[in-house]
């Protein structure tokens, strides 16, 4: 496997803000992946960053963990070479995501009437091996029927009761918009009315393409595209409660969840790389192109939502998402709760991506 020409070799001195960053939190996130891969390796991305090339760095992270920012910086400089990731077109882009924290009930009540559902038994994973002729090749899930596999119920059908009576409800929320944004984020912490704190994380989806309400509202002339944020979308829904279904049902994709424990309140949910996300240090990438566990130094000088200074910090690729496509595209995990949501909801900034490629691999590519 050879490195893609999307990568251009740089030095650490070329990375804006590299010397000012605190590299210890990024090291801690990297180390979580180092322990996970003992059980299951990550798949190498199509851009040529071979998972096997991380072996030395992972072993060092497990056996002699850094205990200070200077040690963490020295670790990354020893084992990696920074490479600028060239975008396919235009400039790189970062957005933000977070883990909502909402009140929920274990049973339906007059107030709590919006369910979060677990995966139905008739929802089947689909790939090229079992996809029926004529089925949209995008679909990764389908419904098992007596006549074979078919496209699954969409959001509108499910919210109108297509799956009622199957006992799929994990919890009940008070607000349909809260539930929708939990679908968008793919996880949430639930403060249950019985006193428990639990978590739901992504289990599967109905399979159709995602169509965001911001795009719909912009095309309808309701919110100017430049002003579309999670906050502006929520404000519009609050002002137009009679039109919530009209807008949300234009997004056919529906998410199913599974329950998970909150083992460390300081960390986020376990995501696609099978480790808990680290606030401000974990990032979602295009997993077809990139290899989970890869460190990325992100330079987004117009992004100041995280700490009121230009965003220049080391992130670790530990999640993915259907909207995260392309070599210079990332989704930054802001953390859990309303404050994190205020950050994540406004992040949409141009950024330069510098992948830290294992040194042996990078030097072999010269």
């Amino acid at each position: 496997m050879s490195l893609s020409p999307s990568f251009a070799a740089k030095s650490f001195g070329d990375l804006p803000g590299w010397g000012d960053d605190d590299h210890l939190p990024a090291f801690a996130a990297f180390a979580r992946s180092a322990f996970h891969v003992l059980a299951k390796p990550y798949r190498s991305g199509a851009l040529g960053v071979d998972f096997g090339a991380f072996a030395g760095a992972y072993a060092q992270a497990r056996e002699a963990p850094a205990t200070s920012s200077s040690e963490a910086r020295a670790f990354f400089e020893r084992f990696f070479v920074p490479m600028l990731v060239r975008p396919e077109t235009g400039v790189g882009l970062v957005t933000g995501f977070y883990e909502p924290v909402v009140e929920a009930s274990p049973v339906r009540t007059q107030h709590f009437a919006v369910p979060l559902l677990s995966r139905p038994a008739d929802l089947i994973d689909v790939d090229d091996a079992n996809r029926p002729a004529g089925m949209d090749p995008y679909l990764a899930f389908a419904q098992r029927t007596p006549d074979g596999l078919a496209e699954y119920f969409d959001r509108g059908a499910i919210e109108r009761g297509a799956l009622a009576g199957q006992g799929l409800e994990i919890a009940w929320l008070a607000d349909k918009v809260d539930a929708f944004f939990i679908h968008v984020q793919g996880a949430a912490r639930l403060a249950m009315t019985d006193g428990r704190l639990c978590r739901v994380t992504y289990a599967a989806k109905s399979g159709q393409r995602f169509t965001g309400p911001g795009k719909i509202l912009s095309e309808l002339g309701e919110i100017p595209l430049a002003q579309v944020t999670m906050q502006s979308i929520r404000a519009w829904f609050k002002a137009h409660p009679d039109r919530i279904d009209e807008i949300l049902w234009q997004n056919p994709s529906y998410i199913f969840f599974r329950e998970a424990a909150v083992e460390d309140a300081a960390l986020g949910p376990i995501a696609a790389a099978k480790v808990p996300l680290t606030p401000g240090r974990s990032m979602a990438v295009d997993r077809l192109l990139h290899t989970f566990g890869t460190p990325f130094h992100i330079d987004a000088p117009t992004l100041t939502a995280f700490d009121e200074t230009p965003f220049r910090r080391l992130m670790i690729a530990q999640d993915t998402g259907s909207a995260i496509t392309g070599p210079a595209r990332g989704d930054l995990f802001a953390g859990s709760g309303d404050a994190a949501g205020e950050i994540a909801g406004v992040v949409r900034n141009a950024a330069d991506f510098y992948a830290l490629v294992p040194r042996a691999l990078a030097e072999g590519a010269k």
Side-chain angles (χ1 to χ4, degrees), residues 154-155 183 205-211 251-255:
D154 65 13
R155 173 174 296 277
H183 282 225
K205 59 183 178 180
S206 59
Q208 298 90 350
R209 289 169 176 80
F210 175 86
T211 303
N251 168 42
S253 178
Y254 190 92
I255 305 300

Side-chain angles (χ1 to χ4, degrees), residues 138-160:
Y138 175 86
L139 297 175
F141 297 91
Q143 183 181 28
R144 183 180 57 225
T145 76
D147 298 321
L149 296 181
E151 182 175 333
Y152 208 76
F153 299 116
D154 65 13
R155 173 174 296 277
I158 293 170
E159 293 190 351
R160 288 190 294 268

Side-chain angles (χ1 to χ4, degrees), residues 10-25:
K10 299 291 179 178
S11 70
F12 283 99
D14 294 326
L15 275 53
W18 175 258
D20 299 324
D21 193 14
D22 178 1
H23 297 89
L24 190 59

Side-chain angles (χ1 to χ4, degrees), residues 182-361:
I182 289 173
H183 282 225
V184 172
Q185 303 302 324
R189 293 188 198 186
L190 305 180
M192 304 296 286
T193 54
D194 60 10
R196 292 180 295 124
L197 178 65
C198 65
R199 169 177 278 147
V200 290
T201 63
Y202 171 92
K205 59 183 178 180
S206 59
Q208 298 90 350
R209 289 169 176 80
F210 175 86
T211 303
K215 180 177 184 292
I216 296 166
L217 291 170
S218 173
E219 291 176 347
L220 291 173
E222 297 290 341
I223 304 176
L225 182 60
Q227 297 177 23
V228 170
T229 64
M230 182 180 70
Q231 290 86 339
S232 67
I233 294 169
R234 281 186 174 276
W236 191 92
F237 281 138
K238 186 174 182 179
H240 302 85
D242 57 321
R243 298 185 65 186
I244 292 175
D245 288 342
E246 170 200 338
I247 302 302
L248 293 187
W249 288 354
Q250 292 184 57
N251 168 42
S253 178
Y254 190 92
I255 305 300
F256 301 102
F257 297 92
R258 61 179 178 83
E259 294 186 71
V262 182
E263 297 179 353
D264 186 338
L267 297 176
I270 293 175
K274 305 305 180 186
V275 296
L277 297 176
T278 303
R281 293 294 172 172
S282 292
M283 180 174 74
V285 297
D286 186 335
R287 71 178 304 178
L288 297 179
L289 299 180
H290 294 297
T291 304
F292 282 155
T294 300
F296 285 84
H297 181 77
I298 302 299
D299 175 28
T302 64
L303 172 55
T304 58
F306 276 79
D307 59 9
E308 299 184 351
T309 63
F311 190 94
R312 294 182 169 115
R313 64 170 72 174
L314 189 61
M315 308 291 289
I316 310 298
Q318 294 179 317
D319 200 6
T320 192
S322 58
I324 312 304
T325 58
R329 177 73 174 91
D331 207 16
L332 312 176
F333 180 62
S336 304
D338 291 344
E342 289 298 310
I343 295 171
V346 300
V347 178
R348 188 174 183 83
N349 298 79
D352 286 331
F353 287 63
Y354 297 89
L356 268 58
V357 174
R359 184 169 293 277
L361 183 62

Side-chain angles (χ1 to χ4, degrees), residues 40-59:
K40 186 175 182 180
Y42 293 138
R43 180 178 63 188
S44 299
L47 294 184
V49 178
D50 182 23
F51 166 77
F54 287 86
Y58 279 151

